[in-house]
Amino acid sequence: MRFMRFLAGTPHVPFLRYKGLCFILSAVLMIGSLGSLLTQGLNFGIDFRGGILMEVRTPQPANLSEMRSTLGQLGLGEVSLQEFGADTDVLIRIQQQDGGEEGQQAAIEAVRGALGDEVNYRRVEFVGPKVGAELIRDGILAVLIALSAILIYIWFRFEWQFGIGGVLTLVHDVLITIGLFSVLQLEFNLSTVAAILTIAGYSINDTVVVYDRIRENLRKYKKLDISALCDLSLNDTLARTLLTSGTTILALIALFAFGGPVVRDFSGALIFGILIGTYSSIFIATPVLTYMNLRRDNDKAEDGSKATTAG
């Protein structure tokens, strides 16, 4: 099955030679993400800040520019429209109105009157500010719980050094991905939270594969320098990393290109997150271990023999 091999033999790429440059690059990206989050924040969608969501179906292919002009004359504030699947399905988002529930109902009736009776209203929802605040809190809690559970899993499966490296990598990936949404002011909604949790799971899966090979090589090569051992482990798993990331990204590119506007931000976030996750598992998660004083089996045995002799 030689024709099935992605890489002929084991490559010899000196990944850790570039760890200083990669640490600087990651630090710049993380600081930039934090700066953007503190200065301009996130562009929360209706899921989080509240508003009206209407899904309508028109008898003929929808003319979005004409509908946008019609609804813009109603004085409802921010109104966004996008095709939702077929060219006759339109998703209408309207900012939250003053006057509580009565104000929202008045806005819905105004939209119905402007679009006419021929339009079929398939879904009409209102998200209040209290619900939006609860969703923000629950979204943050979900991410924190996921990161904590991953830390505990790696800590028990490997050693504490691997746990710290894995969580640092996850924080790196999540922060930079959220920073992208802040810098570009992409809509941040519940789908984005799902994408971030997916990215965290994908990233840690890739990192665990590399860490598992490092642990195997720690037992196999007793005298090999830690940096050289990490390079060897990365090269051993490189073909698997590239194939897994590449095939996943190909599927997401198809979803991004042909899935329509509704899933475009979600699939775009996943593409960016997988690229960052692949980069971090190679250039962040593994190089960090070289500063963690990893212990080999023979180191533990030597410590035990010294203790016995001293006794």
Side-chain angles (χ1 to χ4, degrees):
M1 300 291 288
R2 293 178 62 87
F3 64 95
M4 293 291 291
R5 293 181 181 177
F6 180 68
L7 296 175
T10 302
H12 302 281
V13 182
F15 291 106
L16 267 66
R17 180 184 299 175
Y18 311 104
K19 66 180 180 182
L21 180 63
C22 292
F23 284 161
I24 293 173
L25 173 62
S26 293
V28 169
L29 291 175
M30 293 177 72
I31 292 171
S33 297
L34 280 174
S36 180
L37 287 169
L38 292 174
T39 54
Q40 62 181 3
L42 292 168
N43 177 24
F44 288 114
I46 289 177
D47 294 336
F48 293 123
R49 60 191 170 109
I52 301 169
L53 184 67
M54 305 178 69
E55 182 185 337
V56 304
R57 172 168 290 175
T58 58
Q60 302 294 331
N63 187 332
L64 292 185
S65 59
E66 182 179 336
M67 292 179 65
R68 190 175 290 111
S69 175
T70 301
L71 298 181
Q73 298 173 7
L74 300 178
L76 300 177
E78 181 183 348
V79 179
S80 65
L81 291 84
Q82 65 185 55
E83 286 187 359
F84 184 76
D87 57 6
T88 57
D89 295 338
V90 180
L91 199 63
I92 304 173
R93 291 186 175 93
I94 305 170
Q95 74 175 50
Q96 183 181 333
Q97 306 296 303
D98 297 329
E101 186 175 346
E102 294 180 356
Q104 317 312 315
Q105 192 60 42
I108 293 171
E109 294 302 325
V111 171
R112 289 179 182 271
L115 296 181
D117 297 331
E118 295 182 351
V119 174
N120 178 23
Y121 297 87
R122 306 180 66 194
R123 179 169 57 133
V124 178
E125 296 178 358
F126 166 63
V127 179
K130 183 178 180 180
V131 175
E134 291 176 354
L135 289 174
I136 293 175
R137 182 197 63 198
D138 292 344
I140 295 173
L141 188 61
V143 174
L144 293 178
I145 290 175
L147 294 181
S148 301
I150 290 170
L151 169 61
I152 294 171
Y153 164 74
I154 297 180
W155 200 315
F156 276 97
R157 175 166 178 177
F158 299 99
E159 296 179 12
W160 65 268
Q161 295 98 326
F162 292 94
I164 291 176
V167 170
L168 285 176
T169 304
L170 281 178
V171 171
H172 168 276
D173 298 346
V174 170
L175 179 58
I176 292 178
T177 303
I178 294 176
L180 175 72
F181 276 81
S182 176
V183 170
L184 300 181
Q185 286 296 286
L186 300 174
E187 183 177 314
F188 194 91
N189 50 36
L190 288 176
S191 296
T192 310
V193 175
I196 289 173
L197 292 174
T198 304
I199 290 166
Y202 184 93
S203 174
I204 200 62
N205 175 68
D206 204 21
T207 301
V208 164
V209 170
V210 179
Y211 279 0
D212 207 37
R213 183 55 60 90
I214 291 174
R215 184 173 61 175
E216 291 176 6
N217 287 337
L218 281 171
R219 298 167 180 164
K220 184 176 180 181
Y221 302 99
K222 303 293 186 181
K223 302 297 183 181
L224 190 62
D225 177 74
I226 291 296
S227 294
L229 187 143
C230 289
D231 263 338
L232 174 64
S233 303
L234 285 170
N235 281 284
D236 285 344
T237 57
L238 183 61
R240 181 264 178 201
T241 298
L242 295 179
L243 280 172
T244 304
S245 300
T247 51
T248 305
I249 287 176
L250 285 175
L252 289 172
I253 288 175
L255 188 63
F256 182 84
F258 306 109
V262 176
V263 297
R264 186 158 294 155
D265 288 349
F266 174 79
S267 53
L270 284 178
I271 291 172
F272 179 80
I274 287 174
L275 290 174
I276 286 292
T278 303
Y279 156 81
S280 65
S281 66
I282 296 174
F283 293 106
I284 303 298
T286 304
V288 161
L289 294 179
T290 61
Y291 301 99
M292 293 288 183
N293 191 26
L294 289 177
R295 296 168 63 85
R296 307 171 192 256
D297 291 341
N298 59 331
D299 293 336
K300 298 176 184 177
E302 289 176 5
D303 289 346
S305 63
K306 289 178 182 177
T308 302
T309 303

